[in-house]
Amino acid sequence: LKRATKRIETCLNLISGRLGLDHSRVFFGRFAVPVIVRYLDQKGEALNEIERDKLLFWFAQAGMWGRYSGSTESFLDKDLEALEGPDGGLDKLLEQLRLWHGGLRVEKGHFTGWSLGARFYPVLYMLTRMGASKDWGTGIELKSGLLGKMNSLEVHHIFPKAQLYKRNVQRSQVNALANFCFLTKDTNLNIRDALPEVYFPQVEAKHPGALASQWIPMDEALWKIDRYADFLEARKELLAAEANRRFASLLHGDDRWIAEPARVTTVSTTVVAGGVSSAEEEAELQALSDWVVDQGFAEGVIAYDHSNPATGDQIAIFDLAWPNGLQEELSEPIAVLLNESDDTIALASAAGFRCF
């Protein structure tokens, strides 16, 4: 138990320190932790830089493609088995993941998702933390370890929600991942509901390069709200290119894992049902989960990832869920769905959840 505890702490420090995934909302693929812990214990010593980064590449890829969102135990057994024997190790683990998913390279269509529960939401946060992304108010790099109560990172809607809703833009488009970036709380408050065509030139004048550091298309025509759809497409292109660059940096030249695939893999552009659309909604859900804990029951999962058990593909995001029941393993699964469509409620019901 002491050995396991030590390895878990090492694992969490690696994920937080190198990938910047430093809080629970962005800590995806957590069932990959036992595999990392087993690998660390097999080694019994500190990993060198190349081996460490390759292991973290596998972790991020497993979370990104939902390796453990379907049949968790069977995939966990397969991945632990891949580490055993004379032929076992990281390469076998990665090959297993690639054969299962069909390609590990990021395409622009992967950033089509929306809401705080989308698979690529943590990827966007990871890119911000790993890179040289700059805050638009202060110009400082948004790496982990910033101090001060106003320096925690907040989700910022690049095109303000209020302005988009006035133009009858759909909720999934308003909260598209490509419309998200991360800024300090103070900067987020100062921008408020200003349109990009107004505040982007001010940011660029004060902190040259800050916009590009957050993968903003620099064609000023795309900063106008009537070009919002085109802006999203252009930014998804930039985000995909950055993701592949970052993953390549973790491989230290061993780029076979993210080389252009021999066959074209299909990127689903279907909008996932449900989803947490704002920090305010997330706060309401967190308050409810905390209240349930105060009553002596289990903590809920915010933005629960409902996936195809065979493929791991994300089908829906349930706002707040107790997949094992309020009394774990003793009562029925529960889902709380705020302002969701009948389709989302039907999906949750069909999956065996009692919906509220």
Side-chain angles (χ1 to χ4, degrees), residues 174-206:
V174 170
N175 297 289
L177 281 183
N179 192 33
F180 288 169
C181 72
F182 293 95
L183 300 174
T184 59
K185 185 173 185 177
D186 204 17
T187 298
N188 197 18
L189 288 172
N190 287 336
I191 292 175
R192 297 185 182 276
D193 289 339
L195 286 167
E197 62 185 278
V198 174
Y199 74 90
F200 273 4
Q202 298 169 358
V203 171
E204 191 61 19
K206 192 174 182 181

Side-chain angles (χ1 to χ4, degrees), residues 61-316:
Q61 290 277 337
M64 205 163 64
W65 309 125
R67 175 69 170 170
Y68 300 108
S69 295
S71 303
T72 302
E73 291 181 12
S74 61
F75 286 127
L76 192 51
D77 286 343
K78 288 177 183 176
D79 290 342
L80 287 169
E81 186 180 348
L83 297 179
E84 304 302 322
D87 298 328
L90 263 180
D91 281 358
K92 189 172 181 181
L93 201 59
L94 281 166
E95 185 60 24
Q96 199 161 259
L97 181 64
R98 181 166 62 179
L99 289 172
W100 167 75
H101 180 67
L104 304 181
R105 190 172 182 81
V106 178
E107 306 291 340
K108 64 178 287 189
H110 292 128
F111 284 96
T112 298
W114 75 284
S115 103
L116 308 188
R119 292 266 176 84
F120 274 70
Y121 175 82
V123 177
L124 179 60
Y125 186 90
M126 182 180 77
L127 296 179
T128 303
R129 286 301 206 192
M130 283 184 73
S133 299
K134 295 179 180 178
D135 182 62
W136 292 344
T138 62
I140 62 172
E141 292 187 1
L142 298 173
K143 294 183 181 287
S144 56
L146 295 175
L147 302 177
K149 65 179 182 179
M150 298 298 276
N151 283 325
S152 59
L153 297 194
E154 289 191 346
V155 178
H156 170 70
H157 285 71
I158 298 168
F159 281 78
K161 289 185 292 182
Q163 302 280 9
L164 292 170
Y165 282 132
K166 283 180 187 177
R167 290 161 175 81
N168 298 316
V169 178
Q170 291 184 345
R171 182 180 177 219
S172 59
Q173 284 294 93
V174 170
N175 297 289
L177 281 183
N179 192 33
F180 288 169
C181 72
F182 293 95
L183 300 174
T184 59
K185 185 173 185 177
D186 204 17
T187 298
N188 197 18
L189 288 172
N190 287 336
I191 292 175
R192 297 185 182 276
D193 289 339
L195 286 167
E197 62 185 278
V198 174
Y199 74 90
F200 273 4
Q202 298 169 358
V203 171
E204 191 61 19
K206 192 174 182 181
H207 304 294
L211 293 175
S213 78
Q214 294 256 21
W215 314 287
I216 297 297
M218 296 309 290
D219 179 356
E220 294 187 17
L222 297 178
W223 299 356
K224 298 184 182 298
I225 198 163
D226 61 353
R227 297 289 303 279
Y228 178 60
D230 296 327
F231 171 87
L232 293 181
E233 291 304 307
R235 190 161 189 254
K236 283 190 282 187
E237 193 87 50
L238 295 172
L239 288 170
E242 178 66 10
N244 288 319
R245 274 195 297 273
R246 287 294 161 188
F247 282 127
S249 74
L250 291 173
L251 291 171
H252 295 272
D254 186 9
D255 292 343
R256 58 194 158 125
W257 304 109
I258 55 170
E260 294 290 349
R263 59 184 178 84
V264 177
T265 55
T266 301
V267 178
S268 174
T269 56
T270 303
V271 176
V272 171
V276 181
S277 59
S278 68
E280 293 79 13
E281 188 173 314
E282 184 179 17
E284 290 287 345
L285 296 166
Q286 186 63 59
L288 177 56
S289 179
D290 292 343
W291 178 82
V292 169
V293 171
D294 289 342
Q295 310 313 305
F297 299 108
E299 182 180 7
V301 179
I302 295 176
Y304 175 76
D305 183 355
H306 175 52
S307 307
N308 183 314
T311 66
D313 291 339
Q314 193 173 43
I315 300 170

